[in-house]
Amino acid sequence: MLGSELEDWLKDPESSPPPAQFVRDTSSLSDLWVPEHNAPARQSTDLGELLLDQTRITPGQLSQARQLQTKNPNTPLADILYEMGLDEDVLQRAVATLSGLPYEEIEDDNLEGSRYLQKLGVDFCRERMVLPLRATGTRLTLGVVHPDDMVMLEEVRMRIGMPVKPVIVRRSAINAILEKLREESTPEVAMSVDEIVADIDEDDVEVVQQDKEELDLEKMAGESPVIRLVNYIIFTAVKEGASDIHIEPGEKKLKVRYRIDGVLFESMSPPHPMHPAIISRLKIMANLDISERRLPQDGRIRAMIHGRKLDLRLSTLPTAYGEKAVMRILDTRSISVPLDELGMNEDELLMWKRQIDQPHGIILVTGPTGSGKTTTLYASLGQMDRTSLNISTVEDPVEYNLSGITQTQTHESIGMSFAAALKSLLRQDPDVIMVGEIRDKETATIAIQASLTGHLVLSTLHTNDAPSSITRLINIGVEPYLIATAVNACLAQRLVRRICQHCATQVPPDEVIAEHLSMHGVAIDQIWKGAGCDRCRNTGYTGRVGLYELLVMDDRLRDRVASNPNVTEFRRICIERGMKTLREDGFYKVGQGRTTVDEVLRVTEATI
């Protein structure tokens, strides 16, 4: 029951001031924000109506936003209008008008609340869309996007330890400042290995009894220094643009190596006794069994780095000196390369586009692991009309998610093989099918049958060049006449390091390089070479470019395939029919100044 004074006041609030008890119960809200006397007066109680009155939105846009809010009742109307593309400056000024709060434009060069930002943390500020701006007396001015979130304001007040005064700012300004601060200063992650492990002694990791080993490893893996070291290893790899992380134990040394632009570089050597704790920490992150160290394990780690969601594929392998761990960094940015930017010359690009526009047949992309086959296939699928075509893939595993495409992952342990998945896909009315890899006769036969029944099939093979793809299918057990009918084209590729544009210089070629150039018809007096700088880690290379060998089947080649040729003879016929080899394409790119002779010789082999 309410007190009698409070009941009387609620019946007639204007007859007397509110009871003291009621005032005390609500006074804590004054710590959140005290309105200024000159705050702008409210013009409306509804954001949509206010924007409509200001002719910032149309009645149709407001109606659409209301319908979306009905489906997402927990989403503020301001967020929905922002996602619909309304100008953020106009939107936030209207929010400020409704809330009676001032609106501010913020810049990172006049940010005075960095000390309070460290207390809140960058992740907290990004999640809540807040930013400490400055302290005036005993009150903190806080930039906010959602002024009506009283729980958030109270949480900030508790963390900072002082009252806060909110002002309205743009979310894009908050994101830009937080991203810049994250790049410039990465506390607890971007620090030297010596600083990370400064408080660790060799005795911190010791051999224990078997019955306590699992428990102690889990405890060590959860300690702050180990977590920070693992975070540092992953963060540095992403920052350097590495594709793989190798953690390799030796008898007395632990090495961490990064694969950058296809070449491994040793990055650091953490203390050897930390090796079990590091591996256990990675297993915990990937939800693997930390007690099993005799068998290989595979897992997946999802991480947020620089505001980007990344997947890391973890593989552990028992060795003589402990478990080796390798992580493949799966970054969507690296796979989202347009077809025109892969590095094909104009003629090859035109022929390849014609091939992926064919209504049926098989197109093969070949090359060793890490040669960019997946990137080429995804770029080719991205070139297709995904709105009018039913495009499906079978992959092992699904490394990257593509919008508008049905992606299926194989599971050999339960019988979901490439062949089984491909059979099921053929009942799904597909137009284009991408098979991750043709490994056996059954998969190859189903793929050929699919191409002969009106489907376009794209797949990969592990062969050294394009002509070898044909003979590999024959060796698998596919009839030559079926291959001759079904296969439209084969594309072999390699990746070579690109010359760093910041330190590229022209030098005269030596005798050996000049001889190679003349043999391949490249007549130049000067070649480009990277001198080495900070941006390329003094290697002279940054990034990679593709070398391509495109074999397009014509009637003569189909007739020759049907007679089951050997690979040497078939390669010679392909070159006679105009196929440019990988090495020829490499030297062509040397003449363009995109790579070096050493790189071409490193990844290609001499042909007839």
Side-chain angles (χ1 to χ4, degrees):
M1 295 292 291
L2 297 173
S4 58
E5 293 182 6
L6 182 56
E7 289 182 351
D8 294 340
W9 181 76
L10 290 174
K11 293 177 181 178
D12 189 7
E14 298 181 358
S15 62
S16 61
Q21 180 183 2
F22 181 74
V23 174
R24 284 197 302 269
D25 290 342
T26 59
S27 62
S28 61
L29 294 178
S30 65
D31 287 339
L32 298 179
W33 170 58
V34 177
E36 298 178 354
H37 295 293
N38 59 351
R42 300 190 181 188
Q43 300 178 6
S44 174
T45 58
D46 182 79
L47 177 62
E49 295 296 335
L50 177 59
L51 292 170
L52 197 60
D53 293 341
Q54 297 176 350
T55 66
R56 299 296 188 177
I57 59 175
T58 64
Q61 290 174 324
L62 179 58
S63 175
Q64 182 183 359
R66 299 283 193 205
Q67 292 177 0
L68 292 174
Q69 192 176 30
T70 302
K71 298 178 182 179
N72 304 276
N74 295 326
T75 305
L77 181 62
D79 289 357
I80 294 176
L81 291 171
Y82 174 75
E83 293 295 333
M84 290 175 60
L86 182 63
D87 183 81
E88 188 180 9
D89 184 73
V90 172
L91 180 61
Q92 291 304 99
R93 288 184 185 276
V95 171
T97 300
L98 287 178
S99 61
L101 296 175
Y103 174 82
E104 283 194 19
E105 291 283 355
I106 55 175
E107 301 290 341
D108 55 350
D109 55 357
N110 60 5
L111 188 65
E112 303 174 8
S114 57
R115 179 163 62 94
Y116 303 101
L117 177 60
Q118 292 179 359
K119 285 188 177 182
L120 292 178
V122 172
D123 292 335
F124 175 87
C125 292
R126 187 186 299 278
E127 181 180 352
R128 305 297 200 281
M129 275 291 108
V130 298
L131 188 69
L133 301 181
R134 58 190 172 273
T136 306
T138 60
R139 193 176 295 275
L140 175 70
T141 300
L142 182 73
V144 300
V145 173
H146 303 110
D148 54 347
D149 191 347
M150 304 302 290
V151 176
M152 173 270 294
L153 293 175
E154 176 65 15
E155 189 173 1
V156 172
R157 186 186 71 83
M158 295 294 293
R159 287 183 175 230
I160 296 296
M162 61 190 301
V164 297
K165 181 181 76 172
V167 297
I168 305 300
V169 298
R170 291 180 292 110
R171 72 190 70 208
S172 59
I174 293 179
N175 283 326
I177 291 176
L178 293 180
E179 183 64 27
K180 185 173 182 180
L181 291 175
R182 186 190 291 272
E183 291 178 357
E184 292 178 353
S185 174
T186 53
E188 297 187 358
V189 177
M191 57 181 71
S192 68
V193 178
D194 293 337
E195 293 175 354
I196 294 173
V197 301
D199 55 342
I200 301 178
D201 297 327
E202 291 188 2
D203 296 337
D204 286 348
V205 180
E206 57 184 7
V207 179
V208 294
Q209 298 298 322
Q210 184 68 26
D211 57 342
K212 295 182 180 180
E213 191 168 3
E214 178 182 347
L215 180 62
D216 287 350
L217 276 177
E218 185 173 359
K219 179 182 177 182
M220 287 186 295
E223 291 178 350
S224 178
V226 176
I227 294 175
R228 285 154 53 198
L229 177 57
V230 171
N231 289 346
Y232 174 77
I233 292 172
I234 296 174
F235 169 83
T236 305
V238 174
K239 183 179 179 182
E240 294 289 334
S243 61
D244 299 87
I245 305 172
H246 292 240
I247 301 176
E248 304 169 336
E251 183 178 6
K252 297 181 179 180
K253 183 180 180 181
L254 177 63
K255 293 191 302 183
V256 176
R257 295 198 292 171
Y258 297 145
R259 187 176 294 279
I260 303 174
D261 294 336
V263 179
L264 280 171
F265 295 91
E266 184 171 348
S267 175
M268 63 188 80
S269 295
H272 188 269
M274 289 190 68
H275 171 247
I278 293 173
I279 300 298
S280 296
R281 172 61 185 168
L282 292 173
K283 287 183 177 179
I284 291 173
M285 295 171 68
N287 295 318
L288 300 180
D289 184 3
I290 65 171
S291 64
E292 181 56 75
R293 293 180 294 280
R294 300 168 299 171
L295 296 174
Q297 296 189 66
D298 297 306
R300 198 163 188 154
I301 300 172
R302 296 176 182 261
M304 179 75 74
I305 302 175
H306 276 328
R308 294 158 50 194
K309 292 183 179 179
L310 298 177
D311 284 349
L312 294 90
R313 204 167 65 201
L314 173 66
S315 173
T316 63
L317 180 71
T319 68
Y321 300 110
E323 288 181 283
K324 175 183 177 179
V326 176
M327 285 180 284
R328 167 68 60 89
I329 300 174
L330 305 177
D331 186 0
T332 307
R333 293 185 184 181
S334 64
I335 205 72
S336 303
V337 181
L339 193 59
D340 296 343
E341 298 179 10
L342 291 179
M344 296 184 188
N345 62 49
E346 293 183 3
D347 293 338
E348 288 177 335
L349 181 61
L350 180 61
M351 288 190 292
W352 181 252
K353 286 183 176 180
R354 287 177 179 173
Q355 292 303 316
I356 62 177
D357 285 339
Q358 296 295 320
H360 54 78
I362 290 183
I363 301 175
L364 298 173
V365 181
T366 73
T369 302
S371 60
K373 299 187 299 296
T374 302
T375 301
T376 300
L377 286 176
Y378 280 9
S380 301
L381 295 179
Q383 186 79 15
M384 299 177 182
D385 185 3
R386 285 173 281 182
T387 59
S388 62
L389 294 176
N390 179 14
I391 304 175
S392 303
T393 72
V394 184
E395 304 171 65
D396 180 26
V398 176
E399 296 183 352
Y400 304 95
N401 296 318
L402 299 175
S403 61
I405 294 177
T406 302
Q407 295 176 272
T408 303
Q409 180 164 327
T410 63
H411 296 280
E412 293 283 351
S413 58
I414 59 174
M416 186 64 168
S417 62
F418 277 109
L422 193 52
K423 286 181 181 178
S424 299
L425 276 186
L426 291 175
R427 305 187 191 102
Q428 296 284 314
D429 185 32
D431 296 300
V432 179
I433 301 174
M434 188 192 88
V435 184
E437 183 183 351
I438 294 179
R439 300 176 179 175
D440 50 39
K441 179 181 179 181
E442 184 180 10
T443 305
T445 302
I446 297 173
I448 287 178
Q449 291 173 351
S451 69
L452 295 176
T453 54
H455 305 89
L456 182 64
V457 180
L458 287 78
S459 186
T460 67
L461 276 176
H462 287 287
T463 60
N464 291 327
D465 56 14
S468 299
S469 305
I470 303 298
T471 56
R472 173 64 57 85
L473 291 176
I474 295 175
N475 294 336
I476 286 177
V478 182
E479 294 294 337
Y481 73 90
L482 289 176
I483 299 174
T485 306
V487 176
N488 290 346
C490 302
L491 179 71
Q493 66 179 74
R494 298 289 189 278
L495 291 177
V496 293
R497 291 184 290 177
R498 189 192 301 266
I499 295 174
C500 176
Q501 299 301 309
H502 298 282
C503 61
T505 58
Q506 282 190 310
V507 297
D510 57 32
E511 293 183 3
V512 176
I513 293 179
E515 182 180 357
H516 280 292
L517 292 173
S518 62
M519 287 174 56
H520 293 84
V522 181
I524 52 176
D525 298 329
Q526 299 283 322
I527 60 173
W528 288 95
K529 183 178 182 180
C533 63
D534 294 337
R535 300 199 181 190
C536 62
R537 301 171 302 281
N538 294 315
T539 61
Y541 302 98
T542 54
R544 289 189 286 181
V545 64
L547 306 183
Y548 298 95
E549 178 179 286
L550 178 58
L551 167 61
V552 178
M553 300 291 290
D554 57 19
D555 291 340
R556 181 178 175 183
L557 290 177
R558 294 183 191 278
D559 291 340
R560 195 67 192 89
V561 169
S563 63
N564 192 6
N566 62 63
V567 64
T568 303
E569 178 187 0
F570 186 63
R571 183 187 297 114
R572 180 181 56 79
I573 296 174
C574 291
I575 294 174
E576 291 176 355
R577 300 294 294 172
M579 183 190 75
K580 181 184 292 186
T581 65
L582 284 167
R583 181 161 286 192
E584 288 174 343
D585 189 41
F587 279 99
Y588 172 76
K589 289 181 170 65
V590 170
Q592 292 180 318
R594 302 169 74 177
T595 188
T596 64
V597 173
D598 292 338
E599 279 295 293
V600 174
L601 298 178
R602 180 176 67 88
V603 301
T604 64
E605 60 182 1
T607 56
I608 58 174

